[in-house]
Amino acid sequence: QICLSLVKLLFYLAHSPLGSIVLLDFQPRQFVMVDGNLKVTDIDDASTEELSCREDNDCTLDFPTKSFPLKCSTVGKCEGINEKKNLFNAYRYFFTYLLPHSAPPALQPFLSDILNATGDLRYGINETLKAFEKVLHLYKSGLYLQKRPLHLKDYISLKGFRMVEGEDYKCWPSYSHLGCLLSVHSAEEAAAICNSQSQCQSFIVTQRRTWTGRPLASFQSSPTDLIPDANAVVYIKRSASSGERL
């Protein structure tokens, strides 16, 4: 969410009515999340000036660990230097820390491609935004799940019950510090996640939603603490269920 919002902001800066705008003091402390959108807190260091040049050799974009040769345009300006400077700073201050491990395994190769392409400045802001939106579409639609085997058959469902919320085993990246609360596309994906965790014996797909509209599923190591809830369904591993527990 943070990286996509940042890319949308940089897309606007690259195509603003004032021309391409560069953030000269590009640091994480210069940004804040407001209602799910990243905002710049200080625009004193924003500039529309692009580096003047006479030849391509005048257009090297230097960073502490990398340098990129750019072209000198016919009007004597280094082509795309403001856009590329913003994008590489987004890569080194945000993407490198937030993109790895921040998506289901099937989508991680797409994020790795974005990371590598922006790190080498092979992508401009237009291509980067398009790539992020593709990943978001796959994530929200669940298309990345199409080739997975069916796991829900390994579970029995108890309609009209939910689990008592409390401290349980932890997982990453959980939305709750008390237990394992993860975003899922469906009960089928939740079953696959539960199968992959040795502690998990049951789960419930809650009514809570993330910023993408995906529900949160709560995973637990014990299916015994159940309370009535007409709108809920508890899924319990068949291997964990017994007549006494049910």
Side-chain angles (χ1 to χ4, degrees):
Q1 181 181 14
I2 293 172
C3 291
L4 175 61
S5 187
L6 176 59
V7 168
K8 288 180 177 179
L9 173 62
L10 298 187
F11 179 86
Y12 172 78
L13 294 179
H15 302 284
S16 82
L18 300 176
S20 183
I21 298 175
V22 63
L23 301 176
L24 300 175
D25 186 19
F26 198 115
Q27 299 283 342
R29 65 173 181 268
Q30 299 284 57
F31 300 89
V32 64
M33 290 292 286
V34 179
D35 297 328
N37 295 306
L38 207 66
K39 305 287 186 181
V40 180
T41 60
D42 184 1
I43 60 172
D44 290 343
D45 293 312
S47 173
T48 57
E49 292 294 321
E50 292 191 305
L51 186 64
S52 298
C53 58
R54 292 185 177 181
E55 56 185 24
D56 291 348
N57 289 337
D58 297 329
C59 293
T60 300
L61 183 56
D62 290 316
F63 292 96
T65 58
K66 279 190 176 182
S67 296
F68 300 95
L70 304 180
K71 296 290 185 180
C72 182
S73 70
T74 55
V75 295
K77 297 290 183 180
C78 295
E79 288 184 356
I81 190 167
N82 288 351
E83 173 187 330
K84 293 180 183 297
K85 188 172 184 179
N86 283 342
L87 190 55
F88 190 79
N89 278 327
Y91 159 81
R92 66 181 182 140
Y93 287 119
F94 287 88
F95 297 172
T96 54
Y97 299 104
L98 299 179
L99 287 187
H101 318 300
S102 64
L107 292 179
Q108 286 177 8
F110 293 95
L111 296 183
S112 294
D113 288 344
I114 294 174
L115 196 63
N116 293 332
T118 53
D120 294 334
L121 285 184
R122 287 184 285 109
Y123 279 1
I125 192 61
N126 293 358
E127 295 85 357
T128 303
L129 178 58
K130 184 177 180 180
F132 266 103
E133 289 179 336
K134 177 182 178 180
V135 175
L136 180 62
H137 172 68
L138 294 173
Y139 185 61
K140 292 174 69 174
S141 65
L143 289 174
Y144 66 95
L145 297 170
Q146 285 184 346
K147 296 182 180 180
R148 290 194 173 188
L150 298 177
H151 295 279
L152 205 56
K153 59 180 174 53
D154 299 330
Y155 294 77
I156 60 171
S157 60
L158 292 178
K159 296 182 179 180
F161 292 92
R162 63 180 172 85
M163 295 180 292
V164 176
E165 291 190 18
E167 190 167 352
D168 207 308
Y169 77 92
K170 311 296 192 299
C171 68
W172 175 260
S174 178
Y175 282 79
S176 169
H177 67 280
L178 295 176
C180 187
L181 187 66
L182 300 174
S183 165
V184 298
H185 177 260
S186 62
E188 177 60 45
E189 184 179 17
I193 293 172
C194 190
N195 278 1
S196 70
Q197 299 174 345
S198 59
Q199 308 99 313
C200 184
Q201 297 298 316
S202 60
F203 68 88
I204 180 173
V205 181
T206 73
Q207 299 298 312
R208 285 176 283 179
R209 303 271 171 171
T210 68
W211 66 279
T212 61
R214 287 164 53 104
L216 292 173
S218 177
F219 301 87
Q220 292 197 359
S221 59
S222 171
T224 55
D225 298 325
L226 304 177
I227 57 177
D229 186 334
N231 299 317
V233 180
V234 175
Y235 296 88
I236 303 175
K237 277 185 179 177
R238 293 184 182 276
S239 59
S241 64
S242 68
E244 181 179 351
R245 283 191 174 124
L246 299 180

